[in-house]
Amino acid sequence: MSGLRASELAAIERLYRRRVLPDKILSVELARTMCQLSLEIRRPIAVLLTRRGLVQEILLGTDLILSPTTLAKFRAGPRSLRGLRLIRTQLHDQPLSQESLTDLAYLRLDLIGVLSVAPDGNPGHLYLAHLLPPNPTGQLFKLLKNTPFQHCTISFNQLIEELESELQEARAHYAVTDGKESAILVSASPQGRAEQEDRLTELAELATSAEVMVIDRIAQRTSDGHQRYLLGSGKLKDVLIQTLHKGADMVIFDQTLSPAQSRAISEMTDIKVIDRTQLILDIFARRAHSREGKLQVELAQMRYLLPRLSGKGTQLSRLGGGIGTRGPGETKLETDRRRIRDRITHLEREIAQFARHQDQRRSRRGRHGLPVMSLVGYTNAGKSTLLNVLTNSQVSAQNRVFETLDTTSRRLRFPQDREVIITDTVGFIRDLPQELVGAFRTTLEELREADLLLHIVDVGAVDIDIQITAVVGILQDLHLDAIPRMLIFNKCDRLPASQADALCRRYQAIGVSALHAMTLHPLIAQLDLRVQSLMADRSNAGVFLPSDVLPLASRP
Ligand SMILES: Nc1nc2c(ncn2[C@@H]2O[C@H](COP(=O)(O)OP(=O)(O)OP(=O)(O)O)[C@@H](O)[C@H]2O)c(=O)[nH]1
Ligand SMILES: [Mg+2]
């Protein structure tokens, strides 16, 4: 409030003492004083009024940034209004600006109004707008007919009551989410349209896998990835407005939000905003069944959270329950950095113990001398389905990403009693969050034991090159690229036979359809050949080979 005299400041401060009756938008006295003061200081003055008619905040100028106290005290959800209205004076008589309407929508104010100051310092015209419930025309707000202030007869409490009940009704019609959380997906990157769309499709699969209903997707091309909010503040407001208007519970960004960006966004809105990594962590938290898996997910969540703590502890509670905060970490969200660090150390220790046991398990298995073949590949490629059909097992296989988290090993017996161990592991995804690669290192350590990696690809996926490259990249990161690999194109039934054949030839892959056991013969024959040569190599190297393998009944 620079450049003002002490007397002017005192007069402005006194506005806090004013009360407005519940059925009035603004009292005559308050309107008069605001207009006179405004003329005196040659600046707009705005008051934020509560439903009880108290002045919550006074703002000078036209920028509207609510204080953290106000944001925390008056919350707005997608289906409710904030319970605050803003009335601002203006020295020139003009309709509500686009900026004001944006503020109305993204802050979900009860009402926004501008009151023109007449040249004699009296209240002039009053321009008003309020939000609309979701409607077929997609209109966000309604502009009320402007009137001279003294002729304004609108009863505020009646208006707001009607509006609230319309919002409730519209909610029943529009947001049919079966009690699920719902989200708007946003990609903000310099990538081209097609690539962004592909990625949004994958993000939608991830959301579905986390049981989040996708209400809309927004692709925004940005030139610079290092913005304060990941995308421009105007565009971010747009996204938040859409989210609220369509009744979504949260925004999910395809790009990773830096800790600074997460904080900046959470200061601007109380809508839940998460990123792809948090979504993936959430899915992992849902799917982790084994004790080790749970520890690994919790470790990843803690590592992700640590730099995002503001130190105030309030940032975390902003996230609320549900997506992005689910899982073993849930009860610890209120704890401070120190306790999270302690927890991380503890988890690391426990996981290291598991890793030692796993080594022992592996060496026991190693004694049988059976070759190990590990299924690797993009998530949802059909790895578990293939393991099931090859080994007559019942590992869970479903049409949703990250179905498998825990490693499973089964025996596969070929004719002439040759046997191998086949292991199924967690699927890969492009840009696998670093937190997860680190946390799943022990699970992925299993792959180190493999004599052969069976790289399973969903041949019907729109972007098989991207998926293959992502998997190969992760194998390189894990230093597993020296292990021989066999490329297997699964789900050939999804393409016309000629097209599937052509793709298999082009990539030198073996085509199968795990859903149709008959199609597996060429693969089994190939695997048998590889096993024979593996065994031959081993016996040449003097490795012990069991002449007669364990009976199938003792499958692990
Ligand atoms: N059309 C068709 N669908 C298949 C085939 N193989 C698997 N599927 C389906 O693909 C979906 C994913 O299969 P999963 O075996 O769970 O895939 P996964 O690679 O183990 O996936 P994650 O564990 O999530 O990494 C399931 O709905 C399967 O029924 C196939 O040959 N053809
Ligand atoms: Mg699986």
Side-chain angles (χ1 to χ4, degrees):
M1 301 208 180
S2 59
L4 293 183
R5 286 201 299 268
S7 61
E8 288 166 344
L9 273 178
I12 292 169
E13 288 275 319
R14 275 200 297 278
L15 291 178
Y16 276 113
R17 296 193 209 146
R18 302 279 179 165
R19 299 281 179 277
V20 177
L21 289 175
D23 67 331
K24 294 276 181 264
I25 289 174
L26 191 67
S27 68
V28 177
E29 299 74 27
L30 186 53
R32 281 214 186 110
T33 324
M34 282 172 69
C35 285
Q36 277 156 12
L37 280 172
S38 208
L39 194 64
E40 234 178 283
I41 64 169
R42 308 295 314 161
R43 275 191 237 183
I45 298 179
V47 287
L48 267 176
L49 292 170
T50 68
R51 296 243 172 120
R52 291 171 56 206
L54 304 179
V55 178
Q56 170 68 20
E57 274 192 55
I58 300 169
L59 303 119
L60 299 188
T62 50
D63 278 353
L64 179 54
I65 297 166
L66 300 188
S67 71
T69 333
T70 303
L71 266 185
K73 197 164 156 199
F74 295 85
R75 303 200 150 223
R79 289 135 203 158
S80 61
L81 298 171
R82 194 172 291 275
L84 287 174
R85 62 186 179 279
L86 182 102
I87 312 289
R88 176 189 293 126
T89 59
Q90 61 176 356
L91 296 166
H92 304 286
D93 190 63
Q94 52 197 12
L96 281 158
S97 67
Q98 195 53 49
E99 244 185 338
S100 293
L101 294 169
T102 303
D103 289 339
L104 168 74
Y106 109 85
L107 290 169
R108 285 196 82 73
L109 300 172
D110 290 351
L111 191 75
I112 198 157
V114 285
L115 177 61
S116 301
V117 180
D120 60 1
N122 276 318
H125 271 95
L126 179 62
Y127 300 81
L128 294 168
H130 64 72
L131 289 174
L132 282 176
N135 54 70
T137 61
Q139 242 185 316
L140 285 176
F141 42 75
K142 182 173 172 186
L143 296 169
L144 304 184
K145 195 170 168 317
N146 74 70
T147 53
F149 176 72
Q150 61 270 38
H151 296 168
C152 175
T153 52
I154 296 170
S155 157
F156 176 71
N157 48 7
Q158 197 181 336
L159 177 85
I160 215 72
E161 230 169 74
E162 279 167 16
L163 191 54
E164 291 273 19
S165 76
E166 280 172 38
L167 281 167
Q168 289 294 331
E169 258 172 56
R171 172 190 169 190
H173 279 289
Y174 278 81
V176 193
T177 55
D178 301 336
K180 285 184 189 171
E181 284 187 283
S182 57
I184 293 210
L185 309 182
V186 182
S187 166
S189 76
Q191 291 156 336
R193 186 94 200 169
E195 196 177 343
Q196 280 194 323
E197 284 301 332
D198 275 358
R199 293 192 56 111
L200 281 172
T201 304
E202 185 173 277
L203 190 65
E205 278 168 24
L206 288 166
T208 310
S209 188
E211 287 179 32
V212 172
M213 199 168 117
V214 176
I215 289 192
D216 203 0
R217 320 158 158 209
I218 299 171
Q220 174 72 14
R221 239 178 131 169
T222 54
S223 48
D224 178 7
H226 302 289
Q227 297 194 24
R228 183 167 155 77
Y229 302 113
L230 193 66
L231 70 182
S233 73
K235 191 65 202 171
L236 176 62
K237 281 184 184 171
D238 263 8
V239 167
L240 298 174
I241 291 170
Q242 288 304 323
T243 309
L244 290 163
H245 186 65
K246 294 189 169 145
D249 298 300
M250 70 184 119
V251 180
I252 306 179
F253 276 105
D254 185 44
Q255 288 71 29
T256 304
L257 292 170
S258 71
Q261 285 168 336
S262 287
R263 276 197 295 270
I265 293 176
S266 73
E267 273 159 23
M268 182 162 160
T269 177
D270 35 27
I271 298 176
K272 185 153 64 172
V273 177
I274 68 167
D275 64 14
R276 180 177 180 267
T277 301
Q278 258 174 302
L279 183 61
I280 294 178
L281 284 170
D282 189 89
I283 300 171
F284 275 57
R286 286 165 171 264
R287 300 273 194 286
H289 295 302
S290 68
R291 170 107 182 101
E292 186 183 14
K294 286 184 177 155
L295 291 174
Q296 287 174 333
V297 176
E298 186 181 354
L299 179 59
Q301 284 179 319
M302 293 286 143
R303 282 190 182 146
Y304 180 85
L305 222 57
L306 187 58
R308 286 168 175 79
L309 282 178
S310 69
K312 282 185 280 178
T314 50
Q315 238 58 41
L316 281 175
S317 53
R318 279 268 175 97
L319 290 170
I323 296 296
T325 54
R326 193 186 317 278
E330 210 165 27
T331 56
K332 288 147 208 103
L333 289 178
E334 239 59 54
T335 57
D336 58 8
R337 283 198 177 141
R338 164 108 224 109
R339 296 205 23 215
I340 290 191
R341 274 205 202 94
D342 289 350
R343 184 76 193 151
I344 288 178
T345 316
H346 173 79
L347 289 167
E348 282 170 344
R349 217 175 288 139
E350 274 205 58
I351 289 169
Q353 259 174 8
F354 264 105
R356 269 199 296 282
H357 286 155
Q358 206 174 33
D359 277 347
Q360 287 163 7
R361 275 207 310 273
R362 261 190 239 129
S363 57
R364 272 205 298 280
R365 188 167 74 217
R367 277 201 294 278
H368 299 312
L370 297 180
V372 176
M373 299 187 171
S374 288
L375 297 163
V376 293
Y378 214 76
T379 179
N380 213 33
K383 300 176 293 298
S384 303
T385 313
L386 195 60
L387 175 91
N388 285 341
V389 59
L390 284 174
T391 65
N392 195 17
S393 314
Q394 255 82 48
V395 171
S396 171
Q398 277 201 45
N399 192 14
R400 53 181 195 184
V401 295
F402 295 124
E403 178 58 18
T404 307
L405 282 198
D406 300 324
T407 306
T408 310
S409 299
R410 293 285 185 270
R411 288 181 184 210
L412 168 61
R413 176 176 278 196
F414 293 105
Q416 293 158 12
D417 280 350
R418 271 188 291 276
E419 271 199 326
V420 290
I421 287 175
I422 297 212
T423 61
D424 178 25
T425 45
V426 56
F428 295 166
I429 194 160
R430 62 180 119 175
D431 308 330
L432 191 69
Q434 266 313 308
E435 285 85 359
L436 279 179
V437 180
F440 277 78
R441 208 162 275 277
T442 51
T443 303
L444 298 169
E445 283 293 310
E446 283 275 331
L447 296 176
R448 227 167 281 291
E449 303 297 305
D451 298 290
L452 180 66
L453 297 178
L454 308 180
H455 180 173
I456 316 298
V457 178
D458 173 356
V459 76
V462 269
D463 42 15
I464 59 171
D465 280 322
I466 291 178
Q467 299 201 352
I468 292 175
T469 314
V471 171
V472 172
I474 294 166
L475 291 175
Q476 277 165 355
D477 288 348
L478 295 167
H479 307 293
L480 294 168
D481 47 328
I483 302 175
R485 273 201 303 271
M486 189 190 273
L487 196 58
I488 298 167
F489 278 5
N490 185 32
K491 307 198 190 182
C492 283
D493 56 293
R494 290 182 65 192
L495 295 178
S498 58
Q499 203 179 330
D501 286 347
L503 279 169
C504 287
R505 266 198 307 278
R506 170 136 55 97
Y507 288 83
Q508 297 190 313
I510 300 173
V512 294
S513 173
L515 290 185
H516 305 282
M518 322 243 297
T519 64
L520 299 179
H521 295 306
L523 171 66
I524 293 173
Q526 275 290 326
L527 291 179
D528 196 12
L529 279 176
R530 294 296 279 260
V531 175
Q532 283 178 48
S533 74
L534 269 172
M535 289 188 153
D537 288 353
R538 286 190 178 191
S539 67
N540 289 343
V543 178
F544 164 77
L545 278 178
S547 53
D548 201 359
V549 283
L550 295 169
L552 281 177
S554 69
R555 277 178 181 163

